[in-house]
């Protein structure tokens, strides 16, 4: 968990004031001020909110300081990781002005399994609202021909590819990030690569398949 000095240093690195951090972390400015001046000893849940806010801004805490991540790779695993991935994509959709979110090789039943409950309910209720409020947001999904499980129909365009052209694993493009998703019987691993060249490569693959895919 970050120290008081690291919190201050992370804010300085980003150019955030206490109001900015409070807004990003879902806390009050007064609470942040009391943490930083040492009059309040925050619990682990509060520190986790602060750490998550900085994490979304690509700040990481290292021994004795902080640093900005560049072109990072993040690994999420299991149901907890899938929930974090859902929040990550919602954040990108909310903050990007001209987002074009692309999902290839989709099997929504796997998403049903690993995001069961609050992660999926939150995602599938919020994404249509975000799309309605942002006319520049585009969301596209490629599924396998014959697959009628389309729960994202309220915010996503769907097209279908024949089974022989359908990929072995899903990839998910949002912002400059590409998520490669590996589903196994007892685990899911999501590798999020934050690199514009990697995302450009996968976006070109998606566009080629989108042109070939059948409209639903």
């Amino acid at each position: 968990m970050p120290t008081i000095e690291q919190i201050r240093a992370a804010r300085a690195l980003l150019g955030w004031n206490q109001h900015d951090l409070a807004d990003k972390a879902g806390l009050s400015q007064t609470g942040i001020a009391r943490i930083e001046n040492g009059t309040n000893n925050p619990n682990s849940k509060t520190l986790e909110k602060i750490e998550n806010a900085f994490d979304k801004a690509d700040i990481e805490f290292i021994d004795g300081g902080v640093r900005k991540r560049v072109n990072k790779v993040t690994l999420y695993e299991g149901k907890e990781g899938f929930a974090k991935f859902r929040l990550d994509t919602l954040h990108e959709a909310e903050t990007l002005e001209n987002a074009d979110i692309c999902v290839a090789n989709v099997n929504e039943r796997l998403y049903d399994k690993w995001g069961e409950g609050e992660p999926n309910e939150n995602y599938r209720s919020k994404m249509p609202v975000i799309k309605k409020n942002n006319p520049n947001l585009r969301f596209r999904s490629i599924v396998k021909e014959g697959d009628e499980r389309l729960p994202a129909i309220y915010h996503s365009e769907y097209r279908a590819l024949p089974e022989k052209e359908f990929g072995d694993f899903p990839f998910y493009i949002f912002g400059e990030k590409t998520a490669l998703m590996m589903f196994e019987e007892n685990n899911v691993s999501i590798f999020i690569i934050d690199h514009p060249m990697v995302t450009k490569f996968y976006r070109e693959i998606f566009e080629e398949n989108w042109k070939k895919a059948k409209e639903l």
Side-chain angles (χ1 to χ4, degrees):
M1 292 295 180
T3 65
I4 293 173
E5 291 75 16
Q6 285 176 312
I7 292 171
R8 291 190 188 124
R11 282 202 301 104
L13 188 57
L14 291 169
W16 287 1
N17 58 34
Q18 291 179 345
H19 286 284
D20 295 327
L21 176 55
D23 181 61
K24 302 290 184 182
L27 301 169
S28 69
Q29 184 275 329
T30 302
I32 296 296
R34 292 182 63 199
I35 290 170
E36 291 193 358
N37 65 27
T39 59
N40 180 32
N41 186 23
N43 59 34
S44 59
K45 188 174 182 180
T46 297
L47 287 174
E48 185 177 357
K49 289 181 178 181
I50 291 172
E51 189 172 19
N52 286 340
F54 284 126
D55 182 65
K56 289 179 180 178
D58 289 335
I59 294 293
E60 60 182 348
F61 298 100
I62 58 176
D63 188 20
V66 298
R67 67 184 175 192
K68 180 82 171 174
R69 286 192 297 252
V70 179
N71 299 334
K72 65 174 182 175
V73 177
T74 302
L75 171 61
Y76 291 144
E77 289 191 291
K79 288 194 172 183
E80 182 178 347
F82 193 88
K84 290 181 178 179
F85 169 67
R86 284 298 210 196
L87 291 175
D88 197 359
T89 54
L90 281 172
H91 174 73
E92 292 291 331
E94 285 178 318
T95 56
L96 291 174
E97 291 185 3
N98 294 290
D100 184 5
I101 298 175
C102 307
V103 195
N105 310 322
V106 176
N107 181 345
E108 295 282 8
R109 293 165 186 80
L110 294 173
Y111 296 177
D112 291 344
K113 173 182 177 180
W114 290 101
E116 183 181 11
E118 196 274 338
N120 278 345
E121 291 169 5
N122 180 59
Y123 178 89
R124 289 170 178 168
S125 63
K126 284 188 175 180
M127 192 63 83
V129 176
I130 294 171
K131 189 174 188 304
K132 181 179 179 180
N133 293 334
N134 182 4
N136 295 321
L137 172 63
R138 190 177 189 191
F139 201 116
R140 296 179 286 166
S141 305
I142 298 177
V143 298
K144 187 187 298 183
E145 271 189 9
D147 189 350
E148 297 181 353
R149 175 64 180 147
L150 310 175
I153 195 70
Y154 298 105
H155 64 265
S156 178
E157 304 170 57
Y158 277 101
R159 289 189 183 183
L161 280 175
E163 183 174 0
K164 63 180 181 180
E165 297 184 44
F166 197 69
D168 294 329
F169 61 88
F171 62 88
Y172 200 119
I173 302 166
F174 53 113
E176 291 192 345
K177 299 178 182 179
T178 301
L180 307 180
M181 310 177 75
M182 314 293 181
F183 289 98
E184 302 172 87
E185 183 177 351
N186 297 314
N187 192 32
V188 56
S189 300
I190 306 172
F191 298 86
I192 300 180
I193 305 170
D194 190 350
H195 195 294
M197 290 182 66
V198 173
T199 297
K200 180 176 181 292
F201 172 78
Y202 277 96
R203 192 174 288 279
E204 288 173 352
I205 293 175
F206 180 89
E207 294 296 351
E208 290 178 6
N209 288 329
W210 185 256
K211 290 176 184 177
K212 296 185 296 183
K214 179 183 177 181
E215 293 186 20
L216 297 180

